[in-house]
Amino acid sequence: MDTSISTVPLASLPIWVVIIDYALGVIMWTLIGRVAMNIFLPENSEFFFMKVFVKATNPLIRLFKPITPSFLLEPLVPLYVAWFFFMIRFYLMPWLLGYSVLGMLSFPLEGEISALIYHYLK
């Protein structure tokens, strides 16, 4: 019985693509995590993880400030910025790499995580 985790989809991608996708994915999920934590905690909370998420994502939120609509509620701004990272990962990267099918490259990070979960739960 083979107990190795299959990474065939990742093996077909150049390593730089995987690294870029992982970085964009971590940024996207950190922004989403900030929004989720902000449901239960204020932005200036003393909770360690909230402090880290706010400190890590504030530079990105400032960077996207010129294109952020003013009507957005302040707690939803990180979700708006995360949407841009989603769009880059799902549409721009496959298009730049010459894939004819949108989403062909989509989400190696999440694919690896789901493969690990499947591997350990089976």
Side-chain angles (χ1 to χ4, degrees):
M1 180 175 161
D2 183 22
T3 59
S4 65
I5 298 172
S6 175
T7 57
V8 173
L10 283 181
S12 64
L13 298 172
I15 189 69
W16 64 270
V17 171
V18 174
I19 291 170
I20 290 172
D21 182 73
Y22 272 44
L24 293 173
V26 167
I27 292 168
M28 181 184 83
W29 283 110
T30 304
L31 287 159
I32 292 169
R34 176 179 170 162
V35 173
M37 279 194 292
N38 204 16
I39 293 171
F40 303 105
L41 298 168
E43 204 172 280
N44 59 354
S45 170
E46 289 299 314
F47 183 58
F48 172 76
F49 289 107
M50 187 63 173
K51 283 174 143 179
V52 170
F53 277 43
V54 168
K55 190 174 183 173
T57 57
N58 271 347
L60 288 168
I61 291 171
R62 278 193 301 275
L63 181 68
F64 280 82
K65 185 81 171 156
I67 59 171
T68 301
S70 60
F71 62 82
L72 275 180
L73 298 173
E74 197 63 35
L76 295 178
V77 170
L79 189 61
Y80 174 76
V81 175
W83 175 77
F84 281 98
F85 286 91
F86 169 81
M87 298 300 281
I88 290 168
R89 292 177 71 210
F90 193 77
Y91 292 108
L92 185 63
M93 284 187 59
W95 179 70
L96 289 175
L97 293 169
Y99 292 121
S100 62
V101 179
L102 289 177
M104 178 137 181
L105 172 67
S106 294
F107 313 135
L109 172 66
E110 289 82 353
E112 281 293 298
I113 291 169
S114 63
L116 282 170
I117 291 170
Y118 176 75
H119 174 75
Y120 289 112
L121 291 180
K122 95 176 167 171

Coordinates of all heavy atoms in Angstrom, one line a residue, residues 28-36 61 72-86:
M28 N -4.0 36.0 0.8 CA -5.5 36.0 0.6 C -6.2 35.5 1.9 O -7.1 36.1 2.4 CB -5.9 35.2 -0.6 CG -7.4 35.1 -0.9 SD -7.8 34.1 -2.2 CE -7.8 32.5 -1.4
W29 N -5.7 34.3 2.4 CA -6.3 33.7 3.5 C -6.1 34.5 4.8 O -6.9 34.5 5.7 CB -5.9 32.3 3.7 CG -6.6 31.4 2.7 CD1 -6.0 30.8 1.6 CD2 -7.9 31.1 2.6 NE1 -7.0 30.1 0.9 CE2 -8.2 30.3 1.5 CE3 -9.0 31.4 3.4 CZ2 -9.4 29.8 1.2 CZ3 -10.3 30.9 3.1 CH2 -10.5 30.1 2.0
T30 N -4.9 35.2 4.9 CA -4.7 36.1 6.1 C -5.7 37.2 6.1 O -6.2 37.6 7.1 CB -3.3 36.6 6.0 OG1 -2.4 35.5 6.0 CG2 -2.9 37.4 7.3
L31 N -6.0 37.8 4.9 CA -7.0 38.9 4.8 C -8.3 38.4 5.2 O -9.1 39.0 5.9 CB -7.0 39.5 3.4 CG -5.7 40.4 3.1 CD1 -5.6 40.5 1.6 CD2 -5.9 41.7 3.8
I32 N -8.7 37.2 4.7 CA -10.0 36.6 5.0 C -10.1 36.3 6.5 O -11.1 36.5 7.2 CB -10.3 35.3 4.2 CG1 -10.4 35.8 2.7 CG2 -11.5 34.6 4.7 CD1 -10.5 34.6 1.7
G33 N -9.0 35.8 7.1 CA -8.9 35.5 8.5 C -9.1 36.7 9.4 O -9.8 36.7 10.4
R34 N -8.6 37.8 8.9 CA -8.8 39.1 9.6 C -10.2 39.5 9.7 O -10.7 39.9 10.7 CB -7.9 40.2 9.0 CG -8.1 41.5 9.6 CD -7.3 42.6 9.0 NE -7.7 43.9 9.4 CZ -6.9 45.0 9.3 NH1 -5.7 44.9 8.8 NH2 -7.3 46.2 9.7
V35 N -10.9 39.3 8.5 CA -12.3 39.7 8.5 C -13.1 38.7 9.4 O -14.0 39.2 10.1 CB -12.9 39.6 7.0 CG1 -14.4 39.7 7.0 CG2 -12.2 40.6 6.1
A36 N -12.8 37.5 9.4 CA -13.5 36.5 10.2 C -13.3 36.8 11.7 O -14.2 36.8 12.5 CB -13.1 35.1 9.9
I61 N -3.7 46.8 2.9 CA -4.9 47.6 2.9 C -4.6 49.1 2.6 O -5.3 49.7 1.8 CB -5.6 47.5 4.3 CG1 -6.2 46.1 4.4 CG2 -6.8 48.5 4.4 CD1 -6.7 45.7 5.8
L72 N -17.6 51.1 1.3 CA -17.4 49.8 2.0 C -17.3 50.1 3.5 O -16.6 51.0 3.9 CB -16.1 49.2 1.5 CG -16.2 48.3 0.2 CD1 -14.8 47.7 -0.1 CD2 -17.2 47.2 0.3
L73 N -17.9 49.2 4.2 CA -17.7 49.2 5.7 C -16.3 48.9 6.0 O -15.7 48.0 5.4 CB -18.7 48.3 6.3 CG -20.2 48.5 6.1 CD1 -21.0 47.4 6.7 CD2 -20.6 49.8 6.8
E74 N -15.7 49.6 6.9 CA -14.3 49.4 7.3 C -13.9 47.9 7.6 O -12.9 47.4 7.1 CB -13.9 50.3 8.5 CG -12.5 50.4 8.7 CD -11.8 51.1 7.5 OE1 -12.4 52.0 6.9 OE2 -10.6 50.8 7.2
P75 N -14.8 47.1 8.3 CA -14.4 45.7 8.6 C -14.4 44.8 7.3 O -13.8 43.8 7.3 CB -15.5 45.3 9.6 CG -16.1 46.5 10.2 CD -15.9 47.5 9.1
L76 N -15.0 45.3 6.2 CA -15.1 44.5 5.0 C -14.0 44.8 4.0 O -13.8 44.1 3.0 CB -16.4 44.6 4.3 CG -17.6 44.1 5.1 CD1 -18.9 44.3 4.4 CD2 -17.4 42.6 5.4
V77 N -13.2 45.9 4.3 CA -12.1 46.3 3.4 C -11.1 45.1 3.2 O -10.7 44.9 2.0 CB -11.5 47.6 3.8 CG1 -10.2 47.9 3.0 CG2 -12.5 48.7 3.7
P78 N -10.7 44.4 4.2 CA -9.7 43.3 3.9 C -10.3 42.2 3.0 O -9.6 41.6 2.2 CB -9.5 42.7 5.3 CG -9.8 43.8 6.3 CD -10.9 44.6 5.6
L79 N -11.6 42.0 3.1 CA -12.3 41.0 2.2 C -12.2 41.5 0.7 O -12.0 40.7 -0.2 CB -13.7 40.7 2.6 CG -14.4 39.6 2.0 CD1 -13.7 38.3 2.2 CD2 -15.8 39.5 2.5
Y80 N -12.4 42.8 0.6 CA -12.3 43.4 -0.8 C -10.9 43.2 -1.3 O -10.7 42.9 -2.5 CB -12.7 44.9 -0.7 CG -12.5 45.7 -1.9 CD1 -13.4 45.5 -3.0 CD2 -11.4 46.5 -2.1 CE1 -13.2 46.3 -4.2 CE2 -11.3 47.3 -3.2 CZ -12.2 47.2 -4.3 OH -12.0 47.9 -5.4
V81 N -9.9 43.5 -0.5 CA -8.5 43.3 -0.9 C -8.2 41.8 -1.2 O -7.5 41.5 -2.2 CB -7.5 43.9 0.1 CG1 -6.1 43.7 -0.3 CG2 -7.8 45.4 0.3
A82 N -8.7 40.9 -0.4 CA -8.5 39.5 -0.6 C -9.1 39.1 -2.0 O -8.6 38.2 -2.6 CB -9.2 38.7 0.5
W83 N -10.2 39.7 -2.4 CA -10.8 39.4 -3.7 C -9.8 39.6 -4.8 O -9.8 38.8 -5.8 CB -12.1 40.2 -3.8 CG -12.8 40.1 -5.1 CD1 -13.5 39.1 -5.6 CD2 -12.7 41.0 -6.2 NE1 -14.0 39.3 -6.9 CE2 -13.5 40.5 -7.3 CE3 -12.0 42.2 -6.4 CZ2 -13.6 41.1 -8.5 CZ3 -12.2 42.9 -7.6 CH2 -13.0 42.3 -8.7
F84 N -9.0 40.7 -4.7 CA -8.0 40.9 -5.8 C -7.0 39.8 -5.8 O -6.6 39.4 -6.9 CB -7.3 42.2 -5.5 CG -8.1 43.4 -5.9 CD1 -8.8 44.2 -5.0 CD2 -8.1 43.8 -7.3 CE1 -9.5 45.3 -5.4 CE2 -8.8 44.9 -7.7 CZ -9.5 45.7 -6.7
F85 N -6.6 39.3 -4.7 CA -5.6 38.2 -4.7 C -6.3 36.9 -5.3 O -5.7 36.1 -5.9 CB -5.1 38.0 -3.3 CG -4.1 39.0 -2.9 CD1 -4.5 40.2 -2.3 CD2 -2.8 38.9 -3.3 CE1 -3.6 41.2 -2.0 CE2 -1.9 39.9 -3.0 CZ -2.3 41.0 -2.3
F86 N -7.6 36.7 -5.0 CA -8.3 35.6 -5.5 C -8.3 35.7 -7.1 O -8.1 34.7 -7.8 CB -9.7 35.5 -5.0 CG -10.6 34.6 -5.7 CD1 -10.6 33.2 -5.4 CD2 -11.5 35.0 -6.7 CE1 -11.4 32.3 -6.1 CE2 -12.3 34.1 -7.4 CZ -12.3 32.8 -7.1

